[in-house]
Amino acid sequence: MSELGGNSREQLKSIIERVERLEEEKKAAQDGISDVYAEAKGNGFDVKALRAIVKRRKQDAEKLKEHEEIVESYMHALGMLADLPLGQAAIQRATA
Amino acid sequence: MSELGGNSREQLKSIIERVERLEEEKKAAQDGISDVYAEAKGNGFDVKALRAIVKRRKQDAEKLKEHEEIVESYMHALGMLADLPLGQAAIQRATA
Amino acid sequence: MSELGGNSREQLKSIIERVERLEEEKKAAQDGISDVYAEAKGNGFDVKALRAIVKRRKQDAEKLKEHEEIVESYMHALGMLADLPLGQAAIQRATA
Amino acid sequence: MSELGGNSREQLKSIIERVERLEEEKKAAQDGISDVYAEAKGNGFDVKALRAIVKRRKQDAEKLKEHEEIVESYMHALGMLADLPLGQAAIQRATA
DNA sequence: ATTGATCACACCTTGC
DNA sequence: GCAAGGTGTGATCAAT
């Protein structure tokens, strides 16, 4: 059967501790979210609608990011043209 | 259509901001976990085994026991599996 | 551009047909498995446990043993986990 | 610990047998696919290209199915008109 | 029922 | 050509 040397043993302990620490943080964040919604509900808000808003905003952010990456790639492709007048025009067309 | 007064509007803004802040923290924690495992893998650890350790430690002892008892009872009901094709094959391999 | 003679064309057709036929069979088998589990669930069986049984039986005994030895050695290297936060908590729960 | 009565025991055995039988079929199909490609390779075909063809044909089939479902829903929506002259015209427009 | 994470498997690619 | 590591896909699982 395989055995772990003292060095690996320390590493292992560190890994487990770090993961468990992070999982606690993750759970804390999730609990916080639940709390916020619970409080909102107590103040008369429609929690389902709130979740829908958050969801939509996240999707919007993703879409924006995606778009910016495309623009980015265009910019890069046009890179060597960027400081010339006609290059400027091309960039304008690509990002319009 | 329903409208929100200035007060509720402020509340709403606060709710969304708090949730989004917490979701960022949650994501950061998850990313951190992935990073730790990736690093561990780079150091030669068996990530699957690491996950098994964390899971085992997290798992409610009761629930785990329950699951294992069900599996156990099924195994028992199958008479140690000896009369099923794959069971035969497994036995062959084990005794080869 | 490369062209296929009549002979190769026939071969090609045969290859595609055979692969697609086999992929249909594969999918049918997968669907059948899902059906069996769904039916079992309807009869009150714990599907997760059933999957665990099948998995355990399928698993190469060697490989399973290997995995468990790694987990084992990790557990051992952690000195039975007693000095980690979640380990403490688990002990608390177990002895409550 | 939970025990299974004789009736359930029979059911359980049947479930496991059926699943394992289906998994064998699934594996046989997968192996057959690999064999076909291997044979094709031996006959000078580019396996990667063959896979691409099969993949594209599957995608096409899915797209077609999707399209037909939409048509189907239109047909259904127009259902009560289907046997009247003007209804026929509407269906033609919807499925064009 | 929906979503995100994990897992298993087949595939591809790189290095030898 | 093969073995090994990375990638992608489909299924399962957990949490919501």
Side-chain angles (χ1 to χ4, degrees):
Chain A
M1 158 183 180
S2 58
E3 281 288 342
L4 265 58
N7 207 342
S8 289
R9 189 194 170 284
E10 285 312 307
Q11 276 187 303
L12 174 59
K13 187 158 171 261
S14 162
I15 290 162
I16 302 294
E17 278 171 354
R18 285 156 71 199
V19 168
E20 292 185 339
R21 175 85 174 80
L22 288 163
E23 294 215 327
E24 278 172 21
E25 288 179 15
K26 184 175 160 186
K27 178 164 183 9
Q30 182 55 52
D31 290 350
I33 292 168
S34 299
D35 287 351
V36 172
Y37 282 131
E39 181 193 329
K41 182 175 181 177
N43 289 336
F45 285 94
D46 177 341
V47 173
K48 190 172 170 184
L50 293 175
R51 286 186 192 276
I53 291 173
V54 171
K55 189 174 184 178
R56 176 177 305 188
R57 281 166 58 87
K58 187 160 79 171
Q59 286 170 340
D60 288 352
E62 279 162 7
K63 220 159 139 187
L64 178 59
K65 188 153 169 290
E66 215 177 292
H67 171 71
E68 283 176 349
E69 282 170 1
I70 293 172
V71 171
E72 190 80 9
S73 74
Y74 285 176
M75 297 289 282
H76 183 255
L78 296 172
M80 65 196 71
L81 306 177
D83 52 355
L84 293 176
L86 288 179
Q88 298 283 0
I91 290 170
Q92 303 262 337
R93 282 196 302 278
T95 62
Chain B
M1 159 186 179
S2 60
E3 282 288 340
L4 262 56
N7 207 343
S8 289
R9 193 190 166 287
E10 285 312 307
Q11 277 187 302
L12 175 58
K13 185 156 173 268
S14 163
I15 290 163
I16 301 296
E17 277 170 358
R18 284 155 71 199
V19 169
E20 291 184 340
R21 175 84 172 82
L22 289 163
E23 295 214 328
E24 275 173 25
E25 288 179 14
K26 184 174 159 186
K27 179 167 182 6
Q30 179 57 49
D31 290 350
I33 292 167
S34 299
D35 287 351
V36 172
Y37 282 131
E39 183 193 327
K41 182 177 182 175
N43 289 335
F45 286 93
D46 177 337
V47 173
K48 188 173 172 182
L50 294 174
R51 287 186 192 278
I53 295 282
V54 171
K55 189 174 184 179
R56 195 173 293 191
R57 281 161 60 81
K58 185 168 60 177
Q59 222 156 19
D60 216 31
E62 325 300 322
K63 220 163 141 187
L64 175 60
K65 193 150 169 292
E66 207 178 304
H67 170 72
E68 283 179 349
E69 280 175 2
I70 294 173
V71 171
E72 192 77 13
S73 74
Y74 287 180
M75 296 286 281
H76 180 255
L78 290 171
M80 310 323 290
L81 317 168
D83 53 350
L84 291 177
L86 287 179
Q88 298 282 7
I91 289 171
Q92 306 243 347
R93 279 196 303 279
T95 59
Chain C
M1 156 183 183
S2 61
E3 280 289 340
L4 264 55
N7 207 341
S8 289
R9 194 191 166 288
E10 284 313 306
Q11 275 187 304
L12 175 57
K13 186 156 174 267
S14 163
I15 290 163
I16 302 296
E17 278 171 356
R18 282 155 72 199
V19 168
E20 291 185 339
R21 175 84 172 81
L22 288 164
E23 294 213 330
E24 276 173 25
E25 288 178 15
K26 185 176 158 185
K27 180 166 183 5
Q30 179 57 50
D31 291 349
I33 292 167
S34 299
D35 286 351
V36 172
Y37 281 130
E39 181 193 328
K41 181 176 183 176
N43 289 336
F45 285 93
D46 178 338
V47 173
K48 189 174 171 180
L50 293 175
R51 287 185 191 279
I53 296 281
V54 172
K55 189 175 182 179
R56 193 172 296 191
R57 282 161 58 82
K58 184 167 62 175
Q59 221 157 19
D60 215 29
E62 325 300 319
K63 220 162 143 187
L64 176 61
K65 192 150 169 290
E66 208 179 303
H67 169 73
E68 282 177 351
E69 279 175 2
I70 294 172
V71 171
E72 191 77 12
S73 75
Y74 286 179
M75 297 287 282
H76 181 254
L78 290 172
M80 311 322 291
L81 319 166
D83 52 351
L84 291 177
L86 287 180
Q88 298 281 6
I91 289 169
Q92 306 240 346
R93 278 197 304 279
T95 59
Chain D
M1 161 184 176
S2 57
E3 281 287 344
L4 265 59
N7 206 344
S8 289
R9 190 193 170 285
E10 285 312 306
Q11 276 187 304
L12 175 57
K13 185 156 174 263
S14 162
I15 290 162
I16 302 295
E17 278 171 354
R18 283 156 72 198
V19 169
E20 291 184 339
R21 175 85 173 80
L22 288 164
E23 295 214 328
E24 277 172 23
E25 288 179 13
K26 185 176 159 185
K27 179 163 182 11
Q30 180 56 48
D31 290 350
I33 292 168
S34 299
D35 287 351
V36 172
Y37 282 131
E39 180 193 328
K41 182 176 181 175
N43 290 336
F45 285 94
D46 178 340
V47 173
K48 190 172 170 182
L50 294 175
R51 285 185 192 278
I53 291 174
V54 171
K55 191 174 184 178
R56 174 175 308 187
R57 280 167 58 88
K58 187 160 77 172
Q59 286 170 340
D60 288 351
E62 279 162 8
K63 221 160 137 188
L64 178 59
K65 188 154 168 290
E66 217 177 289
H67 171 70
E68 283 177 348
E69 281 169 2
I70 294 173
V71 171
E72 189 80 10
S73 74
Y74 285 176
M75 296 290 282
H76 182 255
L78 296 172
M80 67 196 68
L81 306 177
D83 52 354
L84 293 177
L86 288 179
Q88 298 283 1
I91 289 170
Q92 304 264 337
R93 281 195 303 279
T95 61

